[in-house]
Amino acid sequence: MTPFALLISLDAVRAEVNSALPNAPVVDDRRPESATMKKVRGFTARTLRRAADRVEPTAALTYG
């Protein structure tokens, strides 16, 4: 391994290890969701929950 590649690999390892420290910077990679996407996700979640309750009702719906 060349000295240059060794330095690059050591720097990459150091950055990876330091990312687990409590004081590591937090980078938000997600774009904010649009209002339309929030509505679609909510609708989908409600629909799936209703379908799941029809297939196998939860204990709260069955016993009380």
Side-chain angles (χ1 to χ4, degrees):
M1 190 182 266
T2 64
F4 186 68
L6 180 66
L7 291 176
I8 290 175
S9 64
L10 286 175
D11 190 40
V13 168
R14 186 179 298 120
E16 181 72 23
V17 170
N18 286 339
S19 69
L21 293 175
N23 61 348
V26 177
V27 179
D28 186 20
D29 292 339
R30 294 185 59 186
R31 295 186 318 219
E33 287 185 346
S34 65
T36 306
M37 195 62 197
K38 287 181 183 178
K39 288 180 184 178
V40 169
R41 288 184 72 179
F43 174 76
T44 305
R46 285 189 302 274
T47 304
L48 290 172
R49 177 81 268 165
R50 274 191 240 120
D53 284 341
R54 282 181 176 261
V55 171
E56 186 175 335
T58 58
L61 295 175
T62 307
Y63 299 111

PDB file of all heavy atoms in Angstrom, residues 37-53:
ATOM      1  N   MET A  37     -47.323  14.970   0.542  1.00  0.00           N
ATOM      2  CA  MET A  37     -46.745  13.675   0.915  1.00  0.00           C
ATOM      3  C   MET A  37     -47.169  13.279   2.319  1.00  0.00           C
ATOM      4  O   MET A  37     -47.427  12.098   2.596  1.00  0.00           O
ATOM      5  CB  MET A  37     -45.222  13.747   0.801  1.00  0.00           C
ATOM      6  CG  MET A  37     -44.574  12.415   0.800  1.00  0.00           C
ATOM      7  SD  MET A  37     -45.149  11.512  -0.626  1.00  0.00           S
ATOM      8  CE  MET A  37     -44.682   9.884  -0.164  1.00  0.00           C
ATOM      9  N   LYS A  38     -47.268  14.244   3.239  1.00  0.00           N
ATOM     10  CA  LYS A  38     -47.733  13.946   4.592  1.00  0.00           C
ATOM     11  C   LYS A  38     -49.157  13.429   4.570  1.00  0.00           C
ATOM     12  O   LYS A  38     -49.508  12.492   5.285  1.00  0.00           O
ATOM     13  CB  LYS A  38     -47.631  15.186   5.477  1.00  0.00           C
ATOM     14  CG  LYS A  38     -46.216  15.540   5.868  1.00  0.00           C
ATOM     15  CD  LYS A  38     -46.187  16.741   6.761  1.00  0.00           C
ATOM     16  CE  LYS A  38     -44.756  17.134   7.077  1.00  0.00           C
ATOM     17  NZ  LYS A  38     -44.683  18.329   7.900  1.00  0.00           N
ATOM     18  N   LYS A  39     -49.999  14.028   3.733  1.00  0.00           N
ATOM     19  CA  LYS A  39     -51.390  13.582   3.625  1.00  0.00           C
ATOM     20  C   LYS A  39     -51.463  12.174   3.053  1.00  0.00           C
ATOM     21  O   LYS A  39     -52.236  11.337   3.517  1.00  0.00           O
ATOM     22  CB  LYS A  39     -52.189  14.543   2.746  1.00  0.00           C
ATOM     23  CG  LYS A  39     -52.450  15.870   3.409  1.00  0.00           C
ATOM     24  CD  LYS A  39     -53.239  16.780   2.488  1.00  0.00           C
ATOM     25  CE  LYS A  39     -53.421  18.149   3.102  1.00  0.00           C
ATOM     26  NZ  LYS A  39     -54.130  19.064   2.212  1.00  0.00           N
ATOM     27  N   VAL A  40     -50.647  11.893   2.040  1.00  0.00           N
ATOM     28  CA  VAL A  40     -50.648  10.562   1.425  1.00  0.00           C
ATOM     29  C   VAL A  40     -50.176   9.513   2.429  1.00  0.00           C
ATOM     30  O   VAL A  40     -50.768   8.432   2.533  1.00  0.00           O
ATOM     31  CB  VAL A  40     -49.767  10.553   0.156  1.00  0.00           C
ATOM     32  CG1 VAL A  40     -49.526   9.141  -0.338  1.00  0.00           C
ATOM     33  CG2 VAL A  40     -50.394  11.399  -0.933  1.00  0.00           C
ATOM     34  N   ARG A  41     -49.136   9.827   3.184  1.00  0.00           N
ATOM     35  CA  ARG A  41     -48.634   8.872   4.178  1.00  0.00           C
ATOM     36  C   ARG A  41     -49.661   8.626   5.268  1.00  0.00           C
ATOM     37  O   ARG A  41     -49.860   7.502   5.728  1.00  0.00           O
ATOM     38  CB  ARG A  41     -47.333   9.382   4.789  1.00  0.00           C
ATOM     39  CG  ARG A  41     -46.167   9.311   3.823  1.00  0.00           C
ATOM     40  CD  ARG A  41     -44.902   9.725   4.460  1.00  0.00           C
ATOM     41  NE  ARG A  41     -44.491   8.677   5.389  1.00  0.00           N
ATOM     42  CZ  ARG A  41     -43.402   8.719   6.107  1.00  0.00           C
ATOM     43  NH1 ARG A  41     -42.610   9.737   6.023  1.00  0.00           N
ATOM     44  NH2 ARG A  41     -43.086   7.740   6.905  1.00  0.00           N
ATOM     45  N   GLY A  42     -50.335   9.680   5.725  1.00  0.00           N
ATOM     46  CA  GLY A  42     -51.375   9.524   6.744  1.00  0.00           C
ATOM     47  C   GLY A  42     -52.540   8.691   6.240  1.00  0.00           C
ATOM     48  O   GLY A  42     -53.048   7.811   6.947  1.00  0.00           O
ATOM     49  N   PHE A  43     -52.977   8.952   5.000  1.00  0.00           N
ATOM     50  CA  PHE A  43     -54.065   8.185   4.401  1.00  0.00           C
ATOM     51  C   PHE A  43     -53.682   6.720   4.273  1.00  0.00           C
ATOM     52  O   PHE A  43     -54.461   5.816   4.596  1.00  0.00           O
ATOM     53  CB  PHE A  43     -54.423   8.773   3.029  1.00  0.00           C
ATOM     54  CG  PHE A  43     -55.435   7.954   2.283  1.00  0.00           C
ATOM     55  CD1 PHE A  43     -56.767   8.001   2.645  1.00  0.00           C
ATOM     56  CD2 PHE A  43     -55.060   7.143   1.235  1.00  0.00           C
ATOM     57  CE1 PHE A  43     -57.712   7.252   1.969  1.00  0.00           C
ATOM     58  CE2 PHE A  43     -55.981   6.385   0.551  1.00  0.00           C
ATOM     59  CZ  PHE A  43     -57.320   6.430   0.929  1.00  0.00           C
ATOM     60  N   THR A  44     -52.471   6.476   3.825  1.00  0.00           N
ATOM     61  CA  THR A  44     -52.003   5.092   3.666  1.00  0.00           C
ATOM     62  C   THR A  44     -51.926   4.389   5.015  1.00  0.00           C
ATOM     63  O   THR A  44     -52.337   3.230   5.138  1.00  0.00           O
ATOM     64  CB  THR A  44     -50.620   5.076   2.989  1.00  0.00           C
ATOM     65  OG1 THR A  44     -50.704   5.785   1.759  1.00  0.00           O
ATOM     66  CG2 THR A  44     -50.143   3.670   2.727  1.00  0.00           C
ATOM     67  N   ALA A  45     -51.445   5.071   6.039  1.00  0.00           N
ATOM     68  CA  ALA A  45     -51.347   4.467   7.371  1.00  0.00           C
ATOM     69  C   ALA A  45     -52.733   4.133   7.917  1.00  0.00           C
ATOM     70  O   ALA A  45     -52.939   3.050   8.477  1.00  0.00           O
ATOM     71  CB  ALA A  45     -50.618   5.416   8.318  1.00  0.00           C
ATOM     72  N   ARG A  46     -53.689   5.048   7.759  1.00  0.00           N
ATOM     73  CA  ARG A  46     -55.041   4.779   8.240  1.00  0.00           C
ATOM     74  C   ARG A  46     -55.677   3.610   7.495  1.00  0.00           C
ATOM     75  O   ARG A  46     -56.330   2.746   8.089  1.00  0.00           O
ATOM     76  CB  ARG A  46     -55.919   6.025   8.088  1.00  0.00           C
ATOM     77  CG  ARG A  46     -55.625   7.100   9.127  1.00  0.00           C
ATOM     78  CD  ARG A  46     -56.653   8.209   9.078  1.00  0.00           C
ATOM     79  NE  ARG A  46     -56.747   8.851   7.779  1.00  0.00           N
ATOM     80  CZ  ARG A  46     -55.991   9.851   7.363  1.00  0.00           C
ATOM     81  NH1 ARG A  46     -55.054  10.329   8.167  1.00  0.00           N
ATOM     82  NH2 ARG A  46     -56.152  10.385   6.168  1.00  0.00           N
ATOM     83  N   THR A  47     -55.471   3.573   6.174  1.00  0.00           N
ATOM     84  CA  THR A  47     -56.034   2.495   5.363  1.00  0.00           C
ATOM     85  C   THR A  47     -55.449   1.145   5.764  1.00  0.00           C
ATOM     86  O   THR A  47     -56.181   0.155   5.919  1.00  0.00           O
ATOM     87  CB  THR A  47     -55.775   2.767   3.871  1.00  0.00           C
ATOM     88  OG1 THR A  47     -56.314   4.035   3.532  1.00  0.00           O
ATOM     89  CG2 THR A  47     -56.398   1.708   3.004  1.00  0.00           C
ATOM     90  N   LEU A  48     -54.148   1.083   5.939  1.00  0.00           N
ATOM     91  CA  LEU A  48     -53.511  -0.165   6.348  1.00  0.00           C
ATOM     92  C   LEU A  48     -53.943  -0.595   7.750  1.00  0.00           C
ATOM     93  O   LEU A  48     -54.134  -1.780   8.024  1.00  0.00           O
ATOM     94  CB  LEU A  48     -51.988  -0.038   6.282  1.00  0.00           C
ATOM     95  CG  LEU A  48     -51.401   0.046   4.873  1.00  0.00           C
ATOM     96  CD1 LEU A  48     -49.914   0.362   4.954  1.00  0.00           C
ATOM     97  CD2 LEU A  48     -51.634  -1.240   4.119  1.00  0.00           C
ATOM     98  N   ARG A  49     -54.128   0.367   8.652  1.00  0.00           N
ATOM     99  CA  ARG A  49     -54.581   0.047  10.006  1.00  0.00           C
ATOM    100  C   ARG A  49     -55.993  -0.537   9.973  1.00  0.00           C
ATOM    101  O   ARG A  49     -56.303  -1.518  10.652  1.00  0.00           O
ATOM    102  CB  ARG A  49     -54.554   1.309  10.875  1.00  0.00           C
ATOM    103  CG  ARG A  49     -55.060   1.121  12.283  1.00  0.00           C
ATOM    104  CD  ARG A  49     -54.011   0.524  13.182  1.00  0.00           C
ATOM    105  NE  ARG A  49     -54.145  -0.920  13.178  1.00  0.00           N
ATOM    106  CZ  ARG A  49     -53.256  -1.787  13.615  1.00  0.00           C
ATOM    107  NH1 ARG A  49     -52.120  -1.390  14.083  1.00  0.00           N
ATOM    108  NH2 ARG A  49     -53.437  -3.061  13.578  1.00  0.00           N
ATOM    109  N   ARG A  50     -56.884   0.070   9.157  1.00  0.00           N
ATOM    110  CA  ARG A  50     -58.244  -0.452   9.033  1.00  0.00           C
ATOM    111  C   ARG A  50     -58.238  -1.858   8.445  1.00  0.00           C
ATOM    112  O   ARG A  50     -58.974  -2.734   8.890  1.00  0.00           O
ATOM    113  CB  ARG A  50     -59.092   0.479   8.169  1.00  0.00           C
ATOM    114  CG  ARG A  50     -59.713   1.599   8.981  1.00  0.00           C
ATOM    115  CD  ARG A  50     -60.753   2.324   8.151  1.00  0.00           C
ATOM    116  NE  ARG A  50     -60.324   3.712   8.060  1.00  0.00           N
ATOM    117  CZ  ARG A  50     -60.056   4.366   6.950  1.00  0.00           C
ATOM    118  NH1 ARG A  50     -60.200   3.799   5.791  1.00  0.00           N
ATOM    119  NH2 ARG A  50     -59.662   5.608   6.982  1.00  0.00           N
ATOM    120  N   ALA A  51     -57.417  -2.075   7.437  1.00  0.00           N
ATOM    121  CA  ALA A  51     -57.331  -3.399   6.822  1.00  0.00           C
ATOM    122  C   ALA A  51     -56.805  -4.423   7.826  1.00  0.00           C
ATOM    123  O   ALA A  51     -57.319  -5.552   7.909  1.00  0.00           O
ATOM    124  CB  ALA A  51     -56.439  -3.351   5.586  1.00  0.00           C
ATOM    125  N   ALA A  52     -55.812  -4.046   8.606  1.00  0.00           N
ATOM    126  CA  ALA A  52     -55.257  -4.959   9.607  1.00  0.00           C
ATOM    127  C   ALA A  52     -56.288  -5.273  10.687  1.00  0.00           C
ATOM    128  O   ALA A  52     -56.383  -6.416  11.156  1.00  0.00           O
ATOM    129  CB  ALA A  52     -54.003  -4.357  10.230  1.00  0.00           C
ATOM    130  N   ASP A  53     -57.093  -4.286  11.083  1.00  0.00           N
ATOM    131  CA  ASP A  53     -58.119  -4.523  12.101  1.00  0.00           C
ATOM    132  C   ASP A  53     -59.226  -5.437  11.576  1.00  0.00           C
ATOM    133  O   ASP A  53     -59.833  -6.168  12.335  1.00  0.00           O
ATOM    134  CB  ASP A  53     -58.706  -3.199  12.587  1.00  0.00           C
ATOM    135  CG  ASP A  53     -57.778  -2.472  13.535  1.00  0.00           C
ATOM    136  OD1 ASP A  53     -56.875  -3.135  14.096  1.00  0.00           O
ATOM    137  OD2 ASP A  53     -57.932  -1.259  13.701  1.00  0.00           O
TER     138      ASP A  53
END
